[in-house]
Amino acid sequence: MRQSDQEPIRFTKEFTRQEAIPEAGIRRAIEVMQSGRLHRYNTAAGETAEVALLEAEYAAYVGARYCVGISSCGSALYIALKSVGVKPGDRVLCNAFTLAPVPGAIENAGAVPVFVEIDADYLTDLADLQRKAEASKAQFLLLSHMRGHIVDMERVTAICQRLGITLIEDCAHTVGARWGDTFTGRFGKVGCYSCQSYKHMNAGEGGLLVTDDEDVIAKAILYSGSYMLYERHLSRPDLAVFEQHKKRIPNFSLRMSNLVAAMLRPQLADLDNQCQRWNRRHDLLAEALSDAPHIRIPHRPAKEGYVGSSFQFSLVGVDLAAVERFLKICSERGVEIKWFGSREPVGFTSSWESWQYIEGVQPLPNTRKILDFMCDFRIPLTFSLEDCRAIAAVIRQVAAEVFD
Ligand SMILES: *Cc1c(COP(=O)(O)O)cnc(C)c1O
C-alpha cells in the first residue's frame, strides 16, 4: 500500500506550550512579591537584588567579565549598538535571516542595516559578508545566530579583525550553545541573550548583555537606566569607570525587574540539562527525517555546540505551489510549520522585504530561494520523544502525498 493511501496521522499538542516555571523560581518570585521590592534598586540595607545576583551568575556561566540585565534581548541589542559607538547614519552588517527585533534595534540606534546573504545551511554567507563589508565600509556587524544555527566563529572573527569591524552577537536563540568550547556571545565585543517565553529561559520578557569591556559595560548599565545607583551591581567595573560616562549617557529605562530575575535564576542552574533535553528531541527529528524524499536536513558543523530548541529543514526538488500545499496539509494535521517564504509577514515570522522602514529593499536572491523552501517549527519541552516521532511521521506522510 502506498503511504498516501493510509489514514492521515494527526498531531494534537500545542507548539506554543512551554513548561511551567520551576518550583524554586515560583517560590522566589512570590517572596519578591511579598517583599514589595520588585524594582532592582529597591533594596533593603545590606540586601543584594535578584537582578544583581542573576547578572553575576550569568557572567560566570558564560565566562564573561560583566553582565547587565535588560528588559528584552531587542533592547539589549539596541543598548549594545549604542555602547560600542554606533552613530545615526552608520551602516550595520546583519545576516538577512533574522528576527524583526534585530533590524528594529539597528533602526532604533538610527543606523541602517546592510543585509548579508545566507547559505543552504541557513548560516551567514561569509563570502557575501566580506563583499558587503568592503562595499559598504560598515564598521559594525550584528550577527544573529538565527534559530540556533552558528556559523564558523573563527572565520567571522578573522574577517572582523582584518576589516576593523566591531562584532555584536545576537544570541537570543543560543543561550547555552557553544562554538567549540566557547559560548556564543563571547566572540564579539558584546553578546545579547533573550529570556522571552519561546527561548531557553522563560521569564515572559527579559534580556542579558555580556562583555569584557569595562567602558562598554559602564555605558550599558547607564543606558539600561541605573540612575546613579550603579554601585549596587555586583557585575561591574570600578566606580571610577562610571565617572567619565555618567553625565553623557542617557537613561533609556530598559531595566530588568527582580521578578524576572527570580524566575530566571533556577532556570540558569538547570540550563545545561534543559539543553540536553532539547537536543534529544531535535536529534530524533533529524534522524527520523534524514532519509525522507524531498527533505533536506541542514549540515551542522562539527564545532557547533547547538541547542535544538527549534527545527528547520528544506524542501528540495519541488515547486512553490507544492510547498504551500505541503504546509497547509501539515497544519490541518496539527503540525504548524512556520514559513519565511510568505510574502506577507505572519505572526512572529517576517522577512527583510517586509521591513520597509529601511530605505530600498536590498536584493538577496540566494536568501530568498533558501527561505522559500525552508520549514521551521519550535520544539517545546512539553513534547515527549514520542511526540517528536509523531511529528516526523506526519511530515513524512504529507510529503509522500504531496510530492510523489
Ligand atoms: C527572539 C529573538 C530576538 C528578540 O528577543 P526579545 O527578547 O524577544 O527581544 C532577537 N533575535 C532573535 C534571533 C530572536 O530569536
Side-chain angles (χ1 to χ4, degrees):
M1 189 165 70
R2 269 166 49 88
Q3 206 171 3
S4 51
D5 299 330
Q6 295 170 355
E7 272 294 292
I9 306 163
R10 283 173 205 285
F11 185 73
T12 52
K13 284 201 180 171
E14 285 176 82
F15 281 75
T16 51
R17 168 72 50 101
Q18 302 305 104
E19 288 188 298
I21 304 304
E23 269 310 315
I26 294 174
R27 267 199 315 276
R28 191 68 197 119
I30 289 172
E31 285 167 13
V32 168
M33 286 191 278
Q34 285 167 336
S35 76
R37 297 186 185 275
L38 276 71
H39 190 288
R40 68 168 298 164
Y41 299 116
N42 182 0
T43 44
E47 187 191 23
T48 305
E50 284 293 309
V51 181
L53 292 168
L54 173 69
E55 288 163 347
E57 288 161 3
Y58 196 73
Y61 175 77
V62 296
R65 278 179 83 187
Y66 307 116
C67 173
V68 58
I70 308 291
S71 54
S72 72
C73 181
S75 302
L77 293 169
Y78 165 50
I79 289 178
L81 293 164
K82 297 291 291 181
S83 301
V84 302
V86 170
K87 298 274 178 316
D90 281 352
R91 311 270 132 178
V92 177
L93 296 153
C94 174
N95 41 320
F97 177 40
T98 187
L99 211 70
V102 176
I106 297 172
E107 170 79 10
N108 206 7
V112 184
V114 176
F115 291 118
V116 178
E117 296 260 34
I118 57 163
D119 66 18
D121 296 315
Y122 322 133
L123 299 172
T124 301
D125 175 341
L126 297 181
D128 195 51
L129 172 64
Q130 296 202 49
R131 268 194 302 276
K132 299 263 165 74
E134 282 160 6
S136 69
K137 307 236 170 1
Q139 293 299 292
F140 303 95
L141 167 61
L142 176 40
L143 182 71
S144 245
H145 304 299
M146 180 63 169
R147 290 295 193 262
H149 295 275
I150 307 167
V151 71
D152 185 330
M153 291 309 293
E154 277 111 45
R155 288 185 60 201
V156 169
T157 43
I159 292 169
C160 289
Q161 258 166 25
R162 189 167 61 75
L163 298 174
I165 291 171
T166 300
L167 172 64
I168 295 170
E169 292 177 72
D170 166 20
C171 311
H173 228 137
T174 54
V175 170
R178 297 172 172 88
W179 177 264
D181 294 330
T182 306
F183 280 105
T184 58
R186 301 296 298 128
F187 292 90
K189 182 90 142 175
V190 186
C192 298
Y193 308 81
S194 177
C195 311
Q196 184 248 62
S197 287
Y198 298 119
K199 311 301 165 79
H200 301 170
M201 296 194 291
N202 174 12
E205 301 281 2
L208 293 159
L209 179 157
V210 307
T211 182
D212 288 343
D213 186 301
E214 50 182 37
D215 287 300
V216 169
I217 196 69
K219 289 196 235 177
I221 288 171
L222 289 160
Y223 277 129
S224 79
S226 65
Y227 303 91
M228 296 301 133
L229 301 168
Y230 45 76
E231 184 176 0
R232 298 192 198 170
H233 287 236
L234 295 176
S235 186
R236 62 160 174 83
D238 199 85
L239 294 176
V241 181
F242 291 87
E243 279 308 312
Q244 55 189 307
H245 300 298
K246 71 180 190 189
K247 295 177 188 163
R248 311 173 66 118
I249 300 293
N251 175 332
F252 290 151
S253 219
L254 296 168
R255 289 168 303 276
M256 177 180 278
S257 97
N258 282 334
L259 197 55
V260 162
M263 287 189 275
L264 290 176
R265 291 181 61 214
Q267 295 183 57
L268 177 58
D270 195 36
L271 179 59
D272 291 339
N273 175 47
Q274 295 291 82
C275 292
Q276 285 170 18
R277 293 177 64 214
W278 263 305
N279 283 358
R280 281 199 286 278
R281 287 156 179 75
H282 172 278
D283 294 351
L284 184 152
L285 280 159
E287 177 63 32
L289 293 171
S290 62
D291 60 347
H294 300 288
I295 288 177
R296 178 182 183 273
I297 311 293
H299 168 74
R300 304 204 83 139
K303 277 196 158 183
E304 187 191 22
Y306 59 86
V307 178
S309 59
S310 67
F311 193 78
Q312 293 74 35
F313 60 91
S314 293
L315 297 170
V316 291
V318 304
D319 63 19
L320 272 180
V323 171
E324 295 206 53
R325 243 180 2 262
F326 169 81
L327 297 170
K328 181 163 172 287
I329 299 174
C330 281
S331 158
E332 286 163 5
R333 297 193 190 162
V335 175
E336 200 70 56
I337 291 175
K338 298 198 228 168
W339 187 45
F340 288 86
S342 170
R343 296 308 187 257
E344 279 299 309
V346 180
F348 285 102
T349 307
S350 62
S351 55
W352 84 97
E353 295 109 327
S354 49
W355 304 328
Q356 293 180 2
Y357 54 86
I358 302 164
E359 193 137 318
V361 176
Q362 299 168 28
L364 298 158
N366 294 345
T367 300
R368 184 70 276 155
K369 249 184 289 178
I370 289 152
L371 295 185
D372 278 349
F373 295 96
M374 190 190 87
C375 297
D376 167 46
F377 58 87
R378 292 189 186 109
I379 312 176
L381 287 174
T382 50
F383 287 1
S384 63
L385 294 175
E386 208 40 59
D387 292 331
C388 294
R389 263 182 220 111
I391 292 167
V394 171
I395 290 171
R396 288 188 77 115
Q397 189 184 47
V398 176
E401 285 175 28
V402 174
F403 303 140
D404 285 350

